Amino acid sequence: MATRLAVYPETSSQARRPPRSVRLSITDRCDLACLYCRAQGGERHVQDRLDLAAWRTVIQGLLKAGIRRVRITGGEPLLHRDLVRLVGEIAASGAEDLALTTNGTRLCDLAPALREAGLRRLNVSLDTLDPQRFAALTRGGRLDRVLQGIDRAVTVGFDEIKLNTVVLRGTNDDEVERITRFAWDRGLVPRFLELMPVGEGAKFRDRLVSGQEVRERLAQLLTTEPARGEENRGPAVYVRGRHDPKQRVGFITGATHAFCKACDRLRVTCDGAIHPCLAMPTGLSIGKAARSGDVIGVVTSVRKAWEQRPDGETWRGCSEDIAQQVSLRHVGG
Ligand code: SAM
């Protein structure tokens, strides 16, 4: 029998840390409606979203409070009319790292401006390479636009582009090798995500495919070395390609592992709430401080929010029942 290869090292030392990274969910609107992310109909959107000036205050406060790394997400961040300016300001702000997560539908138009504004790293979500499956999974999305967007981003020359694929049994689990080869052919890093039981995702628990299983399915393409994380880059771990050490595949095992103890990530929503944990449906409001330019007020709230973070010993993060009340579109995936 083949040895089972652990995807995530069980013995990694995970000390409790201060907050160092943030996800800014700059809009709760999205032009796709992925089955496991958004409910069918009846959705409400935030009305009082932070404007560019308020985001500026938030960013200054976050940096002052010790945040070093920023990821912009949503909803779909490329729908935000001030995205390019926001990227430019964060890039110039002194943050050590700036990255963005997108569904790619508007990358064809925006990739050059984003690169020009200082964005260096990009994650594009892509669950399938089959147009019909894509339309079904996203409730009407067009795969060709996303593929054109990825090609455009490759031409523009970001430092790094990763593809994020949520693997669902009976939906796209037969595509993991195809997606890996697609990514490698373009110099991208494919990453396979376990479906987290967060929000709508909880309704699809029976379709979970573990990172372990995906790794086994890709065994022919990968080395048997232990999976390794990247310093200060969250819970993803990577395994190198068997035939080319520059090729890698990433795994994010958010359903079968909890990463709470080592987590240093805050989230800020588009209406100005700080969530100290992905699994917490409510956050601490910094809307008033942000809108009045009160940088110190933001710093104080960051500290308070981090104190409210659940303890990393017993808290199971997205496997907690309360995580089912979270909207990933709002809190930011
Ligand atoms: N619209 C952007 C996008 O599609 O990348 C950013 C927001 S989206 C919520 C961010 C990521 O979260 C996507 O890769 C999506 O597949 C992932 N996601 C949403 N719900 C999830 C769940 N329940 N489990 C795992 N990943 C999920």
Side-chain angles (χ1 to χ4, degrees):
M1 199 180 128
T3 321
R4 280 176 72 82
L5 296 166
V7 161
Y8 198 80
E10 301 284 349
T11 53
S12 68
S13 71
Q14 301 185 332
R16 196 177 167 94
R17 305 188 188 180
R20 289 285 177 259
S21 70
V22 71
R23 290 199 173 210
L24 307 178
S25 176
I26 62 169
T27 177
D28 60 347
R29 288 166 197 274
C30 189
D31 53 347
L32 298 180
C34 298
L35 298 177
Y36 55 80
C37 188
R38 291 181 64 176
Q40 175 87 55
E43 281 185 316
R44 288 216 212 117
H45 289 97
V46 163
Q47 297 305 322
D48 52 345
R49 278 175 282 163
L50 302 182
D51 62 12
L52 187 61
W55 276 116
R56 206 171 279 141
T57 305
V58 171
I59 290 153
Q60 285 170 12
L62 288 166
L63 293 178
K64 229 179 193 355
I67 299 294
R68 307 271 176 268
R69 303 179 297 279
V70 180
R71 175 171 294 277
I72 301 175
T73 180
E76 173 45 42
L78 270 61
L79 297 182
H80 196 292
R81 64 172 184 199
D82 292 322
L83 172 66
V84 174
R85 284 179 68 188
L86 189 63
V87 164
E89 295 197 11
I90 301 173
S93 71
E96 280 167 17
D97 185 40
L98 172 61
L100 179 138
T101 299
T102 175
N103 64 26
T105 60
R106 297 189 173 207
L107 262 183
C108 219
D109 294 333
L110 284 167
L114 288 168
R115 181 68 192 90
E116 180 89 354
L119 186 70
R120 305 174 77 99
R121 301 195 307 114
L122 197 61
N123 287 0
V124 185
S125 302
L126 181 68
D127 290 344
T128 174
L129 289 168
D130 177 283
Q132 273 84 38
R133 281 184 182 179
F134 187 85
L137 200 55
T138 59
R139 297 192 180 100
R142 278 184 43 191
L143 177 65
D144 58 335
R145 290 180 56 185
V146 177
L147 298 184
Q148 285 162 14
I150 291 171
D151 285 343
R152 187 85 171 109
V154 169
T155 323
V156 162
F158 288 93
D159 291 0
E160 178 184 73
I161 305 176
K162 290 173 175 157
L163 295 187
N164 283 349
T165 302
V166 176
V167 186
L168 297 170
R169 194 171 306 284
T171 301
N172 63 351
D173 55 330
D174 57 346
E175 291 189 68
V176 293
E177 186 171 331
R178 188 176 170 209
I179 290 172
T180 300
R181 292 185 190 280
F182 171 90
W184 283 354
D185 285 348
R186 288 159 182 77
L188 318 179
V189 181
R191 305 200 304 178
F192 295 101
L193 280 61
E194 290 181 352
L195 179 82
M196 297 180 293
V198 173
E200 284 297 295
K203 297 181 183 160
F204 291 80
R205 282 176 202 271
D206 57 343
R207 296 212 214 163
L208 170 69
V209 180
S210 70
Q212 177 77 50
E213 182 178 333
V214 175
R215 181 169 182 181
E216 283 163 7
R217 286 188 186 206
L218 293 174
Q220 277 186 331
L221 297 181
L222 302 178
T223 66
T224 55
E225 294 167 359
R228 288 184 208 291
E230 290 178 320
E231 186 79 23
N232 291 329
R233 289 277 170 86
V237 291
Y238 297 85
V239 180
R240 288 192 299 166
R242 200 178 271 272
H243 305 293
D244 180 347
K246 287 203 289 296
Q247 294 174 329
R248 299 185 297 156
V249 171
F251 300 91
I252 304 183
T253 56
T256 59
H257 293 89
F259 307 111
C260 308
K261 224 163 134 186
C263 179
D264 67 357
R265 185 178 291 168
L266 283 171
R267 290 157 193 274
V268 182
T269 60
C270 60
D271 48 349
I274 306 186
H275 292 241
C277 172
L278 170 65
M280 291 174 78
T282 52
L284 192 85
S285 179
I286 50 167
K288 206 168 151 202
R291 290 187 181 93
S292 61
D294 178 5
V295 174
I296 298 304
V298 173
V299 175
T300 309
S301 297
V302 167
R303 298 208 174 113
K304 271 195 202 145
W306 198 245
E307 280 164 17
Q308 289 172 13
R309 198 170 78 101
D311 93 80
E313 299 293 334
T314 52
W315 178 254
R316 295 283 310 161
C318 65
S319 302
E320 294 283 337
D321 283 348
I322 199 166
Q324 292 174 38
Q325 295 172 30
V326 168
S327 160
L328 259 172
R329 171 180 63 80
H330 180 226
V331 108

